[in-house]
């Protein structure tokens, strides 16, 4: 007998989310100050959840990751170890917002000891890492990019993050108590529908992807992937890109956007700096799921539920 109990809403109350599309240069301190100004702008527009782009504190590229990388563990790091951590914490606190801090290059240094008691050379491991803070400036979650951007399209673009970066190994779900749960992933992670499906089945009302698609893959797949993840999972999707800078070594596509549970684009930026604000409403999620009841029609007798046994995020 079917239950008559109405499912609790995955988004408890409407909330404005902002994607901050900005350009970053070689001066980390200037990048952090610029991001702070843009977060203030987003908060002034009524956003309570603010998202920054991938690698917002530095230029994007394998040549830049090591020189801009910061030590995040043990947490909290000192300001000298991670000025970006402390800047993000202050942005969240000063504006009373939940801040999904794009991503920054992270350094983990491991020193091993031999059986003879001597220290080996320190091993340096780099990650592409997103930090989420609450309105008090407290770290809520850390996501390390799981799927590294290794592609080669002849005559167009070749890029290998794995030449420098290591992959993360956990799905990141973040509880925002007044609203519900969001999933945070980074850029290339959006191409892997399993990650999104697991997050949605575990109650995420929004899938949030700071990302930096390029001028080859951007026009092909950026919006398409945002809409696909939204319609697959009947939830909101936010993609937040850097602004395009043709003088930089890597040319970002831009076009940050927010997509609703029926795959309608609620707001989309152009190429330059822009703040995209959209209101997310839990009723829209429920309307989509009642009208096209995928959640009740899945055939786990034919295929497995991928959310079972997935690795959940560790405590920050």
């Amino acid at each position: 007998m079917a239950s008559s109990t109405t499912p609790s809403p995955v988004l408890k109350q409407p909330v404005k989310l902002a994607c901050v599309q900005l350009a970053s240069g070689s001066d980390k301190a200037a990048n952090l100050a610029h991001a702070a100004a843009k977060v203030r702008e987003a908060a002034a527009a009524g956003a309570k959840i603010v998202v920054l782009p991938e690698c917002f504190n530095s230029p994007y590229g394998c040549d830049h990751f090591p020189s801009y990388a910061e030590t995040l563990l043990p947490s909290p790091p000192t300001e000298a170890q991670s000025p970006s951590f402390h800047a993000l914490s202050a942005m969240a606190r000063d504006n009373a917002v939940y801040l999904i801090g794009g991503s920054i290059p992270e350094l983990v240094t491991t020193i091993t000891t031999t059986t003879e008691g001597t220290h080996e050379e320190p091993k340096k491991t780099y990650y592409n890492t997103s930090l989420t803070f609450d309105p008090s400036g407290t770290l809520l979650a850390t996501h390390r990019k799981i799927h590294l951007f290794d592609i080669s399209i002849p005559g167009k673009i070749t890029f290998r993050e794995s030449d420098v970066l290591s992959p993360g190994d956990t799905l990141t779900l973040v509880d925002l108590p007044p609203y519900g749960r969001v999933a945070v992933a980074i850029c290339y992670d959006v191409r892997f529908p399993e990650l999104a499906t697991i997050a949605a089945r575990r109650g995420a009302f929004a899938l949030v992807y700071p990302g930096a698609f390029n001028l080859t893959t951007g026009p092909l797949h950026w919006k398409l992937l945002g809409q696909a993840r939204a319609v697959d999972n009947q939830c909101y999707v936010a993609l937040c890109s850097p602004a395009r800078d043709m003088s930089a070594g890597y040319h970002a596509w831009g076009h940050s956007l927010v997509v609703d549970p029926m795959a309608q684009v609620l707001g989309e930026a152009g190429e330059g700096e822009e703040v995209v604000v959209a209101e997310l409403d839990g009723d829209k999620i429920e309307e989509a799921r009642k009208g096209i009841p995928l959640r009740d029609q899945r055939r786990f007798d034919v295929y497995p539920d991928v959310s079972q046994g997935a690795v959940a995020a560790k405590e920050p």
Side-chain angles (χ1 to χ4, degrees):
M1 182 175 177
S3 171
S4 60
T5 303
T6 302
S8 59
V10 293
L11 175 54
K12 299 174 187 176
Q13 60 176 308
V15 61
K16 286 186 177 180
L17 178 147
C19 290
V20 176
Q21 182 166 292
L22 52 78
S24 298
S26 59
D27 185 332
K28 183 187 288 187
N31 294 336
L32 296 177
H34 186 45
K38 288 297 186 179
V39 170
R40 283 196 299 273
E41 181 181 332
K48 296 299 182 184
I49 303 171
V50 180
V51 187
L52 290 171
E54 182 178 22
C55 287
F56 81 95
N57 72 339
S58 67
Y60 177 77
C62 290
D63 292 343
H64 301 293
F65 295 140
S67 56
Y68 285 85
E70 301 180 7
T71 298
L72 298 175
L73 296 174
S75 188
T78 66
E79 192 152 0
Q81 290 172 318
S82 182
S84 299
F85 178 101
H86 289 274
L88 289 167
S89 175
M91 291 177 215
R93 182 181 65 249
D94 293 348
N95 296 285
V97 297
Y98 287 97
L99 181 61
I100 298 169
S103 77
I104 65 171
E106 177 192 1
L107 167 64
V108 174
T109 303
T110 306
I111 300 175
T112 58
T113 304
T114 67
T115 54
E116 291 77 23
T118 59
H119 292 309
E120 295 183 350
E121 285 294 315
K123 177 186 177 184
K124 294 184 177 181
T125 305
Y126 299 97
Y127 298 96
N128 189 345
T129 301
S130 181
L131 302 172
T132 300
F133 293 85
D134 74 9
S136 73
T138 300
L139 179 68
L140 291 180
T142 299
H143 176 75
R144 289 172 172 164
K145 189 174 187 175
I146 295 173
H147 304 93
L148 298 182
F149 181 48
D150 287 7
I151 69 166
S152 181
I153 302 176
K156 298 289 186 178
I157 183 171
T158 297
F159 203 98
R160 286 185 54 83
E161 279 189 326
S162 65
D163 287 346
V164 177
L165 300 178
S166 293
D169 59 7
T170 53
L171 167 76
T172 301
L173 292 165
V174 191
D175 288 321
L176 316 181
Y179 307 112
R181 174 175 289 179
V182 299
V184 178
I186 299 172
C187 200
Y188 202 56
D189 286 338
V190 75
R191 289 188 178 273
F192 298 85
E194 298 89 347
L195 199 65
T197 300
I198 294 165
R201 287 192 57 75
R202 292 190 176 182
F205 68 82
L207 313 173
V208 182
Y209 300 92
F213 273 40
N214 53 74
L215 301 190
T216 297
T217 60
L220 286 172
H221 299 147
W222 175 255
K223 184 187 293 187
L224 174 65
L225 285 165
Q227 291 177 303
R229 296 295 82 82
V231 78
D232 284 350
N233 300 290
Q234 299 178 312
C235 64
Y236 288 94
V237 171
L239 306 180
C240 188
S241 170
R244 190 177 308 172
D245 179 359
M246 296 306 292
S247 68
Y250 182 90
H251 305 147
W253 172 237
H255 293 274
S256 297
L257 54 84
V258 181
V259 185
D260 80 4
M262 291 293 281
Q264 300 300 300
V265 176
L266 300 181
E268 180 178 356
E271 302 168 1
E273 294 200 334
E274 191 171 341
V275 177
V276 176
V277 181
E279 181 161 308
L280 315 188
D281 187 338
D283 288 345
K284 296 296 183 183
I285 298 174
E286 290 308 308
E287 286 174 12
R289 295 179 179 184
K290 287 176 182 176
I292 306 174
L294 302 181
R295 64 185 169 192
D296 303 319
Q297 297 172 331
R298 298 189 188 279
R299 291 290 305 275
F300 296 135
D301 59 321
V302 177
Y303 46 78
D305 180 353
V306 296
S307 71
Q308 300 300 312
V311 179
K314 304 177 180 71
E315 291 297 316

